[in-house]
Amino acid sequence: MTQSRLIIALCAFCLLAFAGPSAAKTVAVIADRITLDDLAAATSPSLQKLMARGAVGLMNPATGGPNTADRAYLTLGLGRYPDRTGLPTLDSMLRQAGVRVAHLGGVKLDGKGTLHPAAGIATATVWPEIASDPEGPAKRPLALAGALEAILPLCDLCLIDIGDTTRIEMSPLSQDERQRLRRRAVTRYEPLWKALISVAASGAKVWILSPCPPEPPDGHWERLTPVVYIGQGKGVLTSGTTQMPGVVANIDVAPTLLRDAVLPPPLEMTGRPIRVQPRPKPWTYLRRVDSLATLNHRATMPVMIGFGAFYILLLGAAVAALTCLKTPPGLRLSLRWGLMAAAASPIAFLLVSLLTPRTVGQLAWQSVVITLLLAAVACGLERRTPAGGLSWLFVGTFLVIGIDTVFHGPLVRDSMLSSFILSGIRYYGLGNEYMGVLLGAGLAAPALLADDLLLPKNKVYCKIIIGIWFLGVALLIGLPVWGANFGGAVAAAPSCVVAALSLTGSRLNRRSILLALAGLALMVAAFAVWDMLRDASSQTHIGRLLGRIRSGGIEPLEEVAAGKLRMHLDILLSPQAWIPALSSLALLAWLAASLKGQIRRAFALRPSLQAVLPAILTASAMAFLANDSGVVPLAFIMGSWAFSLLDAILKAGSACAGTGRI
């Protein structure tokens, strides 16, 4: 399918937005393969004036599958990922709409640009195409401006594909040269931008869209694309899909056009209407978002490999030390400090974005420095307080992530560990990574503190404190208003109930567990219903799912469940998942068998750590089963308890030598 035909498909879908007689005219300019910096660097005075009249944002170009130009245009036009058949046909929507559409320009594989006919508008050639010139003929900008002036009175929607930027990206030039030509091409369209200023002044809505980013050398898209919307005021763009200032998804464009025409989107459309949010210095803010999204995308693999190697070496050193007949006290203290550094790394990944690193190297060394500083602070607190360093780290982890979650997660959103803006997996909320970190820290912290401070857990006030703590953990993870995911609520609710009952000395009978779970389930369900009843632009994915179920029956739930099942199967069958999982299980089984005596001494030193183990196992199992990539939260939850156990073993051995504290 050619790109030109896909653009026509987009036109056809957008026609529904203009079926009403009161709908304003709309002009959408497709300037494909450009970046936010290309628009900012363009020296066209009219373009700068035009963008100053409206709002600007960044658009995620992901397609829910292989990222290609064909899929990008289809996604933009369908208002959802092209992941299923049986969707409403674009031809039938065009016939039923009865509106007039014009398409100016376009790029076909044969290199011919034509004015496409629609709704009675005659076919005409706007310019001759010169395929050998990546920038195209010099007269094209003036021809397009004249064609727009002539055709706009005859149509309701005019889609303009300037084509030059696409041709430049298809040429065998260097990246730097293509960037220079893209910016010059955008500037060359001064006559068109000047004409669009008059169009916007007449009350029409104007879009500037880039469905695809520039093509990187490795073929993997790593940039967000710019989107400009003139017609709803100034500021930055956002939507209910992303709930992130300045960022929208490509599936949001079609629902926005329908909203402007006061028409409800079809049930199959999963995008949410774009809206304008006031914000000072929008371009400065968007440049930071753009660069951070690309940097996190590039840094995730190398940085996580480095930290992963550190975790493996630390575990190997700990295993070697613990299996020796006699471990030097200094080595035990060094290993405890290493465990604190490992436990501090998730918070380091949160805080490093505040330093605004610009390169992968800067992000890596800044993360290491913050990790070491946090471990040093934890060691200092252990020397000066009754609580251990790991206890302080888990309490700090819980408080930092919890406070960030209450304020809608700006740190989690910018963290390399959970930044999925480019992939479109998630834009807001905790996600699997920090849900696992938060739940693991939330379960381990009270157990460690109870032993460190020798709290009388059978006292009423201790039971109240422990109950409030675990209620807070469950609500932070399970409430939709803070961007909860379904799997997080399923993992947090039962594990927090089991942990509260275990640490307070209550019996784990069936009746008490069922009553506590029923209470939490009713609370979460009430908030989910409230989320569904909120304004569509503020709903989370849980509220949207309930709304779709209410409107279309059980089919949306079956679709979500099928997607989760497919994801689980893909992960379980992937060597990257089952090989580490089986290796870790084998290692843990071997450690449990060979370190029985040391584990018994550690549990004697920290009985609450043993008491909370059923809750840890419950959380790990439910997180694995109820989340798309459940192995991720499972690793963080089990890791928090495993670090605590290793620390207790090392501390017990050091205590025997008279050097228990760091």
Side-chain angles (χ1 to χ4, degrees), residues 204-431:
K205 300 181 185 300
V206 177
W207 291 80
I208 301 176
L209 297 166
S210 180
C212 307
E215 198 70 27
D218 60 1
H220 297 289
W221 292 357
E222 57 180 21
R223 294 296 300 268
L224 299 170
T225 62
V227 53
V228 181
Y229 183 34
I230 298 100
Q232 275 201 339
K234 301 179 181 181
V236 296
L237 300 174
T238 186
S239 73
T241 300
T242 66
Q243 299 191 23
M244 180 179 178
V247 178
V248 300
N250 49 6
I251 60 176
D252 296 328
V253 174
T256 305
L257 297 173
L258 294 177
R259 180 211 52 200
D260 290 345
V262 199
L263 293 173
L267 185 64
E268 294 84 0
M269 191 179 293
T270 58
R272 310 305 268 180
I274 296 172
R275 62 184 188 275
V276 177
Q277 187 176 61
R279 190 176 189 94
K281 299 181 179 180
W283 285 87
T284 302
Y285 167 75
L286 290 175
R287 286 192 184 98
R288 180 183 182 276
V289 173
D290 190 21
S291 62
L292 193 58
T294 300
L295 177 62
N296 285 334
H297 178 77
R298 293 173 177 173
T300 299
M301 188 62 68
V303 173
M304 291 310 299
I305 287 176
F307 273 84
F310 167 67
Y311 301 149
I312 294 173
L313 290 174
L314 177 65
L315 180 60
V319 170
L322 293 175
T323 53
C324 291
L325 294 177
K326 186 176 180 180
T327 304
L331 177 59
R332 287 180 177 266
L333 294 180
S334 299
L335 290 173
R336 289 193 63 216
W337 184 86
L339 289 173
M340 294 182 194
S345 58
I347 297 301
F349 295 145
L350 277 183
L351 300 178
V352 71
S353 64
L354 299 176
L355 303 179
T356 316
R358 298 185 179 277
T359 65
V360 174
Q362 285 183 355
L363 189 148
W365 74 257
Q366 289 173 2
S367 298
V368 171
V369 169
I370 295 174
T371 297
L372 297 179
L373 287 176
L374 290 174
V377 170
C379 293
L381 289 172
E382 178 171 310
R383 295 194 187 99
R384 292 169 175 80
T385 64
L390 210 56
S391 305
W392 282 111
L393 278 173
F394 284 146
V395 170
T397 296
F398 177 81
L399 292 177
V400 170
I401 299 177
I403 293 171
D404 184 63
T405 300
V406 171
F407 288 95
H408 305 290
L411 293 178
V412 168
R413 184 180 60 220
D414 291 343
S415 170
M416 177 196 63
L417 190 60
S418 62
S419 177
F420 294 103
I421 299 174
L422 272 170
S423 63
I425 297 175
R426 184 178 61 255
Y427 301 94
Y428 61 91
L430 281 172

